[in-house]
C-alpha cells in the first residue's frame, strides 16, 4: 500500500504541474517545442530517494515520466548516497588496517591509539552517511507531501503513540550504529579487542558492499533514463565503475577469506551471481528449444503450404533458427547484467564500413537470392556450375557446397554460379544415352545394327518409350560409324551406358565384327624412280 500511494502521488506530481505548460506551448508554438518543467532547476527536489531500498521495478516506473532536469536532480541525490556508502566502505577497510596494526604491535598504548583512530573514522563516515540519507529522505517527503514514518504506523494510533513509535525507531537506529563497532571489554587486552573489532569491521564491510551494490543499481536506472533524454551520465558511470567490486588484501589471509566468504553468501554478491548465471543458462536452453521448434514449424509450413525447393526451405529455416538464437543470446547476456546497447550501437555504426569492405560478399548474397528465386537446382541434384560438376549438398546466401564424384567437398561462391552457365544434369526424370560404335568397311553394317538392337531389347533398364534409335550415320576415314541412342531413367543413365557398351563389344567379337582404329596409308617413292619418270617426261 505504501508504494501504491507513492506511485499515485508521482502521477499527480509529474503530470498535473506540466498541464499548464503543455497548454501554453501548444497555444504559442503549436506543440512544436518540447514541454519543460515550469519549476526552475534550483528549486527541484528529489523524491525517488524517499526510500533508498525501493524495488528496482518501481523505481523504473517512477523515473520514466521525469524530464531531463528532474532526472539530473534524482541522479545527484542517488550519487550522494552512493558516495557516502563508498566512504563508509573505505572507513571499514581502513579500520581493518588499523586493527592489524594494533594486533601486530607490542606497544599497548600504540595499539589503543590505532583502535581509537579506526573507531573514530568509522563513526564519522557512518554519521555523514546517516545525515545525508536523512536529508534526502526529508526532501523527498517534503516534495511529495508525505511522512513515511507516520504513514507506516498503524491507522488507529494516536499522535502520542506515533511520536513514541518514531522515537523508538530513532533509538533503534542509534543502537544499531553503536553495535557496528562494539566497545572493548573491560578485562580484555588490546590485542583481543583489536581482533574483535577487526571481525566486526569485516562483517560490516560485507554488509556495506551489498548496500553499495544496491545503490549502484538504483543510480544506474536513473542514469539510463537520463541518458535517453539527452543527459550526460559518463562521469557518474565512471565513478560507479571505480567504486564497484571487492578489494582483497592478499597480505591479510583472514581478511581475504572473510571477503571471499562474505561475497559468496551475500545477497548482492554470490547469490546474485548464482541467480544470474542460472537465468543465463535457462535462457539459452529455452532459446535453443524455441529455435528448434520454430525452425521445424517453418519447415513444415514451407513443405506443405508454400512448396519451395528443399534448398530454399533449408536456408529459410536455418536463418530463422540462427536469428532466434542470436536474439536469445542477447537476452541471456542481459541476465548476466551485460549492457548490450553499446554492442548494438557499435554494430550499427560500423555497418557502412563493413558493407563497403564486403562488396564481394554482398554480391554473393544477391546472387544467392536470385538462385533461390529462379530455382535452377535443388539439394541432391547433379549440377555443372561455376566450373564444378557434383551433387548439391547445401547452400547459404554466400556460397553453395558441392560433393564431387571423387568425394571432394567444394564451396563455390554464388556469384560464380549465377554469372555462368548452370547445367542441371538430374533435373529431368529421363535422359538419353548417346553412344557411337565404329566398324570396319569390310564388315556388314546391317548385321552390326541388328546386334546393337538386340542388346538394347535385352537390357531391362532401357526404356521402350521413347524408343531407342540405332542407325548408320557416317562413313569416316577408317570406319563406318553407327549411332546408338537409347533412353533411360536419370538414376539408371550410367548403368545403361556401361552395360550396353560392354555387351555390344562382346557380341561384335563373337560375330567377328572389327572395331578399327584410325589408320592412314603412306606411299614411299625412291629417288631413282622419281628421276626416271622426270627423264621420260623430258624426252617426250
Amino acid at each position: 500500500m505504501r508504494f501504491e500511494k507513492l506511485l499515485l502521488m508521482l502521477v499527480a506530481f509529474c503530470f498535473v504541474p506540466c498541464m499548464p505548460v503543455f497548454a501554453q506551448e501548444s497555444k504559442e508554438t503549436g506543440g512544436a517545442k518540447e514541454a519543460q518543467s515550469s519549476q526552475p532547476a534550483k528549486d527541484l527536489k528529489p523524491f525517488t530517494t524517499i526510500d533508498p531500498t525501493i524495488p528496482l521495478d518501481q523505481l523504473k516506473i517512477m523515473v520514466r515520466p521525469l524530464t531531463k532536469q528532474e532526472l539530473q536532480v534524482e541522479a545527484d541525490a542517488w550519487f550522494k548516497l552512493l558516495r557516502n556508502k563508498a566512504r563508509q566502505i573505505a572507513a571499514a577497510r581502513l579500520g581493518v588496517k588499523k586493527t592489524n596494526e594494533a594486533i601486530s604491535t607490542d606497544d599497548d598504548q600504540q595499539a589503543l591509539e590505532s583502535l581509537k583512530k579506526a573507531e573514530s573514522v568509522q563513526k564519522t563516515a557512518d554519521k555523514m552517511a546517516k545525515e545525508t540519507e536523512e536529508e534526502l529522505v526529508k526532501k523527498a517527503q517534503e516534495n511529495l507531501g508525505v511522512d513515511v514514518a507516520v504513514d507506516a504506523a498503524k491507522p488507529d494510533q494516536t499522535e502520542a503513540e506515533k511520536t513514541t513509535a518514531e522515537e523508538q525507531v530513532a533509538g533503534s537506529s542509534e543502537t544499531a550504529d553503536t553495535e557496528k563497532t562494539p566497545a572493548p571489554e573491560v578485562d580484555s587486552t588490546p590485542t583481543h579487542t583489536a581482533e574483535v573489532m577487526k571481525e566486526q569491521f569485516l562483517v560490516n564491510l560485507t554488509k556495506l558492499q551489498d548496500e553499495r551494490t544496491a545503490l549502484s543499481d538504483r543510480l544506474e536506472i536513473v542514469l539510463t533514463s537520463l541518458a535517453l533524454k539527452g543527459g550526460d551520465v559518463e562521469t557518474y558511470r565512471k565513478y560507479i565503475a571505480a567504486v564497484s567490486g571487492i578489494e582483497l588484501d592478499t597480505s591479510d589471509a583472514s581478511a581475504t577469506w572473510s571477503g571471499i566468504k562474505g561475497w559468496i553468501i551475500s545477497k548482492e554478491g554470490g547469490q546474485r551471481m548464482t541467480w544470474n548465471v542460472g537465468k543465463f543458462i535457462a535462457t539459452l536452453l529455452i532459446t535453443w528449444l524455441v529455435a528448434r521448434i520454430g525452425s521445424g514449424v517453418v519447415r513444415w509450413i514451407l513443405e506443405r503450404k508454400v512448396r519451395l525447393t528443399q534448398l530454399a526451405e533449408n536456408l529459410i529455416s536455418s536463418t530463422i533458427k540462427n536469428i532466434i538464437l542470436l536474439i536469445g543470446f542477447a537476452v541471456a547476456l542481459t541476465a548476466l547484467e551485460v549492457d548490450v546497447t553499446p554492442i548494438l550501437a557499435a554494430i550499427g555504426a560500423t555497418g557502412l564500413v563493413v558493407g563497403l569492405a564486403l562488396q564481394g560478399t554482398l554480391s554473393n548474397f544477391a546472387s544467392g537470392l536470385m538462385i533461390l528465386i529462379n530455382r535452377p537446382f535443388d539439394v541432391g541434384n547433379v549440377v555443372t556450375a561455376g566450373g564444378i560438376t557434383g551433387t548439391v549438398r547445401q547452400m547459404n546466401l554466400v556460397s553453395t557446397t558441392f560433393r564431387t564424384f571423387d568425394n571432394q567437398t567444394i564451396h563455390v561462391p554464388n556469384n560464380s554460379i549465377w554469372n555462368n552457365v548452370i547445367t542441371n544434369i538430374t533435373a529431368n526424370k529421363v535422359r538419353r544415352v548417346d553412344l557411337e560404335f565404329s566398324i570396319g568397311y569390310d564388315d556388314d553394317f546391317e548385321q552390326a545394327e541388328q546386334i546393337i538392337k538386340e542388346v538394347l531389347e535385352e537390357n531391362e533398364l532401357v526404356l521402350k518409350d521413347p524408343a531407342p534409335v540405332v542407325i548408320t550415320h557416317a562413313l569416316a576415314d577408317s570406319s563406318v560409324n553407327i549411332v546408338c541412342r537409347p533412353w533411360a531413367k536419370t538414376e539408371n543413365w550410367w548403368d545403361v551406358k556401361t552395360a550396353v557398351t560392354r555387351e555390344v563389344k562382346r557380341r561384335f567379337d563373337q560375330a567377328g565384327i572389327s572395331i578399327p582404329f584410325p589408320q592412314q596409308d603412306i606411299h614411299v617413292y625412291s629417288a631413282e624412280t622419281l628421276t626416271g619418270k622426270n627423264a621420260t617426261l623430258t624426252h617426250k
Side-chain angles (χ1 to χ4, degrees), residues 438-445 472 474-481 513-516 519:
S438 300
I439 62 174
Y441 275 95
D442 296 334
D443 298 319
D444 186 350
F445 70 92
T472 301
L475 301 176
D477 294 337
S478 56
S479 63
V480 177
N481 297 335
I513 298 175
S514 64
I515 300 178
Q519 58 184 353

Side-chain angles (χ1 to χ4, degrees), residues 359-381:
Q359 290 184 2
T361 302
L362 295 177
S363 177
N364 289 324
F365 180 85
S367 298
L369 291 178
M370 295 301 296
I371 292 173
L372 289 177
I373 294 173
N374 290 275
R375 299 185 291 182
F377 52 78
D378 199 355
V379 173
N381 290 156

Side-chain angles (χ1 to χ4, degrees), residues 156-173:
D156 57 349
Q157 283 182 320
T158 62
E159 292 296 330
E161 291 174 340
K162 292 180 179 179
T163 304
T164 304
E166 293 176 2
E167 292 176 352
Q168 291 177 352
V169 171
S172 62
S173 301

Side-chain angles (χ1 to χ4, degrees), residues 231-243:
D232 184 10
V233 299
E234 188 65 24
T235 303
Y236 296 102
R237 284 178 171 165
K238 285 183 178 180
Y239 183 83
I240 293 175
V243 301

Side-chain angles (χ1 to χ4, degrees), residues 315-387:
L315 180 60
I316 294 174
S317 61
S318 62
T319 301
I320 292 176
K321 181 178 180 180
N322 292 333
I323 291 175
I324 295 176
L325 290 175
L326 182 61
I327 295 174
F329 182 72
V331 174
L333 286 179
T334 60
L336 290 178
E337 301 183 7
V338 176
D339 187 9
V340 298
T341 303
I343 301 176
L344 297 178
I347 293 175
T350 57
L352 178 61
V353 178
V354 173
L356 295 175
L358 299 179
Q359 290 184 2
T361 302
L362 295 177
S363 177
N364 289 324
F365 180 85
S367 298
L369 291 178
M370 295 301 296
I371 292 173
L372 289 177
I373 294 173
N374 290 275
R375 299 185 291 182
F377 52 78
D378 199 355
V379 173
N381 290 156
V382 178
V383 176
T384 298

